[in-house]
Amino acid sequence: DSTKDYVNDRGRILEGPEYLTIFSGKTGEALKTVDYIPGRGDVCAWGANECKGNRSDRFLACVAYLDGVHPSPVFCRGYYGRLTIAAWIWRDGELKLKWFFDSNNGHTEYEGQGNHNLSVADVDGDGKDEIVYGSSAYDDNGLPLYTTGMGHGDAMHLSDLDPDVPGLEVWGVKETGGWGSVLHSADDGKILVRIPANADVGRGNAADIYPNHRGFELWSSATQGIYDVKGQKITDTVPSVNFRIYWDGDLQDELLYRSYIDDWDYIKHKNIRLFDASQFGGT
């Protein structure tokens, strides 16, 4: 209804209908619209009894091959408290719910076990994608696989970080509980490396920046140095803590932070600036 304005005096939308729409990528035409699942319901019930919408309006999304063949759009709501994941099937002009996970439905141990981000990967080797949501993971059928119980975090990286350990690993940073920075197995949540910190660890990175160490290197805004995947400290110096990127054509990762791309000099332990997009209007 284009005549409605649901924005309140704080700039938030805490009432009114919510929709999920499939658009044509070619024309922009709305092909199918359904009610968003789950609805916001009681906005105070999404964590910390917070009623301003900061908890109820936390959304994430991805595309996952949950059957190993077809892509499914997946939409998530909530991660500070109540945590929900809705997987959909888009076939022949119809948008149907495939499965729905809700921590309110007998899974209270999964409350608050989500990140500001998620990753998709076949973590159990069955040819179907799973969803890793920070401190918890969910099977291709929507059933929970595990939770580490370490709560919410702001950043994580999922890959085969340690080539000597079967399967994939997750390097993530945690906000509370003194958990700090944690490397865990992606298929069962087993903790492999933990670097404690008595603070909210806001950023962490995992990248292959040393050719003379097996696997990825790990660090965060609280580690006060770089570690290998076995938990051994390599140096006290910390490079930029955000993203990794392939940039200059060698076999090592480069580092992306804001408008900068840096190479890591693993001998002198310092950044080498390769590109600064701020010179061209980047921020």
Side-chain angles (χ1 to χ4, degrees), residues 39 44 50 70 90 93-94 130 150 153-154 169 171 199 213 256:
C44 304
E50 192 276 327
H70 304 98
W90 169 245
E94 293 297 322
E130 283 75 45
M150 293 181 174
D154 288 358
E169 294 81 39
W171 171 250
H213 290 275
L256 171 63

Side-chain angles (χ1 to χ4, degrees), residues 32-46:
K32 186 71 175 183
T33 296
V34 298
D35 290 334
Y36 190 90
I37 295 177
R40 68 176 68 85
D42 179 4
V43 297
C44 304
W46 288 87

Side-chain angles (χ1 to χ4, degrees), residues 60-248:
L60 295 174
C62 63
V63 173
Y65 285 76
L66 299 172
D67 63 359
V69 178
H70 304 98
S72 287
V74 180
F75 291 87
C76 312
R77 184 176 208 155
Y79 41 72
Y80 283 110
R82 182 186 177 189
L83 184 154
T84 68
I85 305 173
W88 296 82
I89 300 173
W90 169 245
R91 303 284 187 279
D92 301 321
E94 293 297 322
L95 186 59
K96 297 181 179 180
L97 188 67
K98 181 178 178 70
W99 51 256
F100 176 58
F101 173 84
D102 188 345
S103 62
N104 276 3
N105 295 334
H107 299 289
T108 56
E109 70 273 26
Y110 285 82
E111 293 179 357
Q113 302 304 313
N115 265 27
H116 285 314
N117 37 62
L118 54 77
S119 288
V120 175
D122 178 12
V123 303
D124 56 10
D126 65 356
K128 304 174 184 179
D129 280 339
E130 283 75 45
I131 296 171
V132 179
Y133 207 174
S135 292
S136 58
Y138 305 84
D139 208 350
D140 54 85
N141 58 8
L143 296 178
L145 287 175
Y146 64 83
T147 174
T148 64
M150 293 181 174
H152 171 72
D154 288 358
M156 69 173 182
H157 298 267
L158 167 63
S159 187
D160 187 7
L161 303 177
D162 186 345
D164 297 325
V165 174
L168 307 178
E169 294 81 39
V170 179
W171 171 250
V173 298
K174 307 302 174 182
E175 190 164 287
T176 60
W179 296 113
S181 310
V182 180
L183 180 70
H184 74 258
S185 172
D187 65 340
D188 60 9
K190 179 183 177 181
I191 306 304
L192 304 174
V193 174
R194 185 169 79 87
I195 304 171
N198 294 319
D200 174 356
V201 185
R203 292 290 179 270
N205 207 348
D208 186 5
I209 57 175
Y210 281 83
N212 52 344
H213 290 275
R214 295 256 311 154
F216 282 51
E217 284 71 51
L218 314 171
W219 66 99
S220 77
S221 54
T223 54
Q224 298 180 344
I226 302 172
Y227 289 74
D228 66 17
V229 287
K230 305 303 183 183
Q232 301 300 310
K233 196 171 189 178
I234 299 171
T235 176
D236 292 330
T237 309
V238 179
S240 63
V241 190
N242 211 355
F243 299 110
R244 53 162 292 279
I245 186 173
Y246 286 120
W247 186 258
D248 63 5

